[in-house]
Amino acid sequence: MQFTLLVIVNVAVGGLVGLERTTVPLIGTEVFGLTSDLAVFSFIIAFGLTKAATNLAAGALTTRFRRKQLLVAGWLIGIPVPFVLAWAPSWGWIVAANVLLGLNQGLAWSMTVNMKIDLVGPAHRGLASGLNEAAGYSAVGVTALVTGYLATAYGLRPTPELIGVVFVVAGLALSVAARDTAAHVALELAQHDTPPPTGPGTGLAATFARTSWRDRSLRGASQAGLVNNLNDGLTWGVFPLLFTDHGLGLAAVGLIKGLYPILWGIGQIPTGHLADRIGRKPLIVTGMLVQAAGFVLAPVLLNRPLLAGITSAIALGLGTAMVYPALIAAVSDHAHPAWRANALGTYRFWRDLGYAAGALLAGVLADALGLNATVIAAAALTAASGLLAARWITGTRADAPAVGARASEDARAGEPAHRRLLPAVRYGLGDQLNDVHVHVGERGAERAAPSAGAYKWSTSSR
C-alpha cells in the first residue's frame, strides 16, 4: 500500500514539471519576445542548477530529517509554481518559478525514490526505481501532451498551466498521508553483511568524492546520468523551436514532447525488472547508444518534420528507459546503506546538473551554429558517454551486490538483537525506529521486521 501511494505521489511530481515541456519555450519567444536561444533556455538552466543542488543537499538532510518531512517540504515549496507560470508579468518571474520548481523536484522526487528503495530492499531495486521513474516520467509526457492541446484551444496561458494546481493539491495531501521508511533502513543496516563504515569517510564530502570520481563504477554512472539529462534539457528547449520552425503546430509539438517521456516512463517498468535479471551495465551502454541514434534521426528526416519528431522521440524515450532505472540501481549496488542516501544524492546532483548543462550547451550552439548542429553535437556526446560507461562501470546484479548487501542471517543467528540494531542508532536512525519489531524464530535466530506500532521487543515463536 505504501509503495503504491508513493508511486501516485511521483505521478504528481512528474506532472508538475510536465507543465513546462511544450509551452514555456514558446512563451519566451511569443509572449515575452525573447530572440536569443540562450535567453529562452535560461529557465531550464535555473531549474537544473537548483534541482541538482537540492538533490545533493537532500542526501545530507536525510541524516537530520525524516524522508517524509522532506517530501512534504518539497510540496509546500512547489505551491506557487503553477500560478506564477500562468500569470507571470515578465520572463524573470518564469525563471524564478523554475528555482522553486527545482527545489520541489529535488526534494519530492529524491524522497520518493529513496523511500521506494528502502521499502523493497536490494533484490528489487531495479524494479522499484523503474516503477518510480515510470510513474514520474509518464506523467511528464501525458502532461506535455495535454498542455499542447490546451494551448492550441485556449492559448499558451493561463489554462495549460493551471492543471498544475491539481498536481500540487494531490501531491501534498498524499505525502502527508504517507508513512516514513526509517524502520526499513534500520532493518537493512541490521542485516547487512558489510560492517557499517565509521568516521569522516561516511560524510557528504567523502561520499561526494567517492561517487563523483574515486569509485570507478560510480564515476561511470554519474557521467552517464549527467549526459542523459543533458539530452533531456537540450530537447526540452530545442525541439519545440526546431519543429515549429519547420511548420508543426502546438498539438504536434505536444505529441512529440509527450511521446518521449511517456515511452521513457512506461519503458522503465520492464527495463527496471530486466536490470535486476541481466545486470545494470548492458542496459546503460545500449540505452546511451540508442539515444545517440535518436538524435541523428531528427535532422536526417527533417524534411518530414512530424516523422522526424516522432521517430526521434521514440528512440530517445526507449534509450532513456533502458538507462534510467539501471543507473539508479547501479549506484545503490555500489553504496553501503549507511551512505547510500548521500551517494544517490550525489549521483542525482550530477544527473540533474545535465538539465542546466544541456540548456547552456543548446543555447550557445544554437545561437552560434543553429538548431540542427546542436542536435548532432548531442548525438556525438551521448555516444561518447555510452562508451565511457562501458569502460568504467562494472557489471552488477541485485543477487550479487558489489558491497555485499545480502543478509547472512545464519552466520549471525547468535548475535544479540540490540547489537544488530546498533548501526541504525549510530547513523541517526535511533529516534526513528518506531516500527521495528524483533521476532525469535524456531531456531532462536533473531530477525528484525517492520510492523505497525511502537518500537518494542518480543520473543514470540512461530
Side-chain angles (χ1 to χ4, degrees):
M1 178 64 183
Q2 287 299 302
F3 191 95
T4 302
L5 187 148
L6 290 168
V7 169
I8 298 171
V9 170
N10 217 43
V11 169
V13 178
L16 190 61
V17 73
L19 291 176
E20 298 195 328
R21 290 301 175 114
T22 301
T23 59
V24 173
L26 299 172
I27 289 172
T29 57
E30 297 184 17
V31 175
F32 295 110
L34 300 179
T35 57
S36 166
D37 290 324
L38 184 58
V40 173
F41 302 156
S42 61
F43 79 97
I44 308 174
I45 297 173
F47 169 80
L49 290 175
T50 307
K51 186 167 188 268
T54 307
N55 286 338
L56 186 61
L61 288 171
T62 56
T63 64
R64 295 191 174 190
F65 302 98
R66 292 172 181 255
R67 283 150 163 70
K68 176 179 174 177
Q69 291 173 325
L70 296 173
L71 178 60
V72 172
W75 278 113
L76 292 173
I77 292 169
I79 289 174
V81 170
F83 301 101
V84 176
L85 294 177
W87 288 297
S90 68
W91 185 248
W93 283 77
I94 299 290
V95 175
N98 275 271
V99 173
L100 296 179
L101 184 61
L103 291 168
N104 161 266
Q105 296 288 301
L107 288 174
W109 207 308
S110 291
M111 291 308 106
T112 57
V113 71
N114 272 291
M115 292 169 81
K116 287 186 184 71
I117 288 174
D118 294 342
L119 287 170
V120 302
H124 303 291
R125 285 174 184 150
L127 180 59
S129 300
L131 288 170
N132 185 78
E133 304 302 295
Y137 283 101
S138 296
V140 171
V142 170
T143 306
L145 184 62
V146 170
T147 55
Y149 282 101
L150 289 175
T152 300
Y154 302 103
L156 289 169
R157 298 197 302 172
T159 302
E161 290 74 25
L162 289 180
I163 62 174
V165 177
V166 177
F167 296 129
V168 170
V169 172
L172 181 58
L174 292 173
S175 296
V176 170
R179 295 177 59 190
D180 195 70
T181 56
H184 296 270
V185 180
L187 171 63
E188 188 176 352
L189 281 168
Q191 293 182 332
H192 207 282
D193 282 348
T194 305
T198 59
T202 63
L204 176 59
T207 303
F208 183 87
R210 183 186 294 119
T211 307
S212 301
W213 62 84
R214 288 182 179 170
D215 185 285
R216 182 185 181 95
S217 291
L218 293 176
R219 178 173 73 237
S222 294
Q223 66 82 27
L226 186 148
V227 173
N228 183 86
N229 276 22
L230 180 148
N231 295 343
D232 189 26
L234 186 144
T235 60
W236 188 350
V238 168
F239 274 20
L241 302 182
L242 176 66
F243 291 115
T244 54
D245 284 350
H246 285 78
L248 295 187
L250 284 173
V253 171
L255 175 62
I256 294 167
K257 288 301 298 172
L259 188 60
Y260 171 19
I262 286 173
L263 290 173
W264 171 355
I266 294 174
Q268 288 182 81
I269 298 174
T271 60
H273 181 63
L274 191 60
D276 289 332
R277 295 180 63 85
I278 69 171
R280 325 307 190 190
K281 183 174 178 176
L283 288 171
I284 293 168
V285 175
T286 304
M288 296 303 288
L289 296 178
V290 170
Q291 288 182 63
F295 275 122
V296 172
L297 289 171
V300 167
L301 300 174
L302 201 52
N303 60 329
R304 300 176 65 183
L306 184 58
L307 177 64
I310 289 175
T311 55
S312 180
I314 290 172
L316 286 168
L318 293 177
T320 308
M322 295 178 190
V323 168
Y324 234 67
L327 282 172
I328 293 176
V331 173
S332 298
D333 289 342
H334 287 84
H336 192 283
W339 49 271
R340 186 174 64 215
N342 277 337
L344 285 169
T346 301
Y347 161 72
R348 297 183 81 243
F349 166 81
W350 289 115
R351 189 193 69 187
D352 289 340
L353 193 63
Y355 285 120
L360 182 61
L361 178 68
V364 171
L365 290 180
D367 282 338
L369 303 174
L371 296 171
N372 285 10
T374 302
V375 173
I376 293 299
L381 185 60
T382 306
S385 176
L387 295 178
L388 280 177
R391 179 175 177 84
W392 285 343
I393 298 176
T394 59
T396 54
R397 294 180 53 163
D399 60 354
V403 292
R406 279 185 314 222
S408 179
E409 295 187 6
D410 289 342
R412 305 175 65 189
E415 187 175 0
H418 73 277
R419 297 187 68 177
R420 293 185 59 190
L421 291 172
L422 185 59
V425 179
R426 184 182 303 156
Y427 288 98
L429 294 168
D431 60 340
Q432 300 179 23
L433 295 178
N434 58 348
D435 291 319
V436 175
H437 194 100
V438 177
H439 300 270
V440 177
E442 291 176 347
R443 293 181 299 167
E446 296 167 348
R447 299 188 307 164
S451 82
Y455 175 62
K456 59 184 179 180
W457 301 88
S458 79
T459 56
S460 59
S461 61
R462 289 176 294 175

